[in-house]
Amino acid sequence: EYVCVKVNGNTNIKRMIQTESGEKEIELNFKAPWPKKTMAESIKEHLEIDVESMSVEDLFDYATKFNLEVDKKMTWGDLVLSIFDELVESKIIQPTHVIDRPRESSPLCKVHRKDARLIEQNEPIALGMELGNMYSELNDPIVQKELLKEQVEKGRGGGEEAHPMDEDFIESIETGMPPTGGIGWGIDRMAILLTGVE
């Protein structure tokens, strides 16, 4: 909100988007607070399916119906992420915090306090693109080491976004890591969005 006002004079900006019927001008409103929606709520809003109650088989069938790149080894979380990334994220136009993502989206994040399938992660999204990433940092060294081992295996299997093993990080956590939060903000994406440049 602050940067939008500094750059554009107010919290509203106009941008062109591509729709099925051609280009259309829309107005984005960066006034805080931005709405918060869980990933499941976002999927339900745009696709009218309830992923929280769907089985792995149901999700796989749904994904294959839309020709998404999925396979039978994928978990519930992998499939939910694939459906969101391919079919929903581009439809989120107004600035929105998408919270409560599947565990598979990050090995560095704490498990959600109410649903073990999820993690305490938030991605702010606007104009169909992720602007940042923030989460409660996992500070249990035993769990973190196991999750990073899984990531190494995913990397060996060709996973492009797999995290490498970080023994120094594990040793630091074992020494004692207090509760912390991780945050990353896409300054380049924010600049593109707020200035209207390609």
Side-chain angles (χ1 to χ4, degrees), residues 127-146:
L127 204 59
M129 65 178 159
E130 171 194 333
L131 300 178
N133 184 15
M134 51 202 80
Y135 50 81
S136 301
E137 292 262 9
L138 177 59
N139 59 356
D140 181 323
I142 297 166
V143 173
Q144 183 66 87
K145 190 166 192 172
E146 286 307 309

Side-chain angles (χ1 to χ4, degrees), residues 6-65:
K6 284 290 184 184
V7 172
N8 295 290
N10 60 55
T11 58
N12 297 326
I13 60 171
K14 291 184 177 175
R15 294 291 173 262
M16 298 300 288
I17 61 166
Q18 192 64 42
T19 66
E20 291 174 8
S21 57
E23 277 202 329
K24 173 185 167 188
E25 186 177 66
I26 53 114
E27 188 169 80
L28 297 168
N29 184 358
F30 286 89
K31 179 89 177 120
W34 297 2
K36 274 192 236 176
K37 294 180 182 175
T38 67
M39 183 174 279
E41 288 169 342
S42 296
I43 293 171
K44 195 174 206 173
E45 178 183 333
H46 293 282
L47 302 179
E48 298 179 355
I49 60 170
D50 181 6
V51 294
E52 290 181 305
S53 63
M54 292 171 75
S55 68
V56 172
E57 294 76 20
D58 293 337
L59 290 168
F60 180 80
D61 291 344
Y62 187 86
T64 53
K65 186 167 77 172

Side-chain angles (χ1 to χ4, degrees), residues 78-91:
D78 290 327
L79 291 163
V80 169
L81 281 169
S82 183
I83 289 167
F84 178 83
D85 290 345
E86 297 298 323
L87 303 175
V88 176
E89 186 173 68
S90 64
K91 293 178 169 72

Side-chain angles (χ1 to χ4, degrees), residues 86-99:
E86 297 298 323
L87 303 175
V88 176
E89 186 173 68
S90 64
K91 293 178 169 72
I92 300 173
I93 303 302
Q94 292 300 326
T96 304
H97 291 289
V98 178
I99 63 172

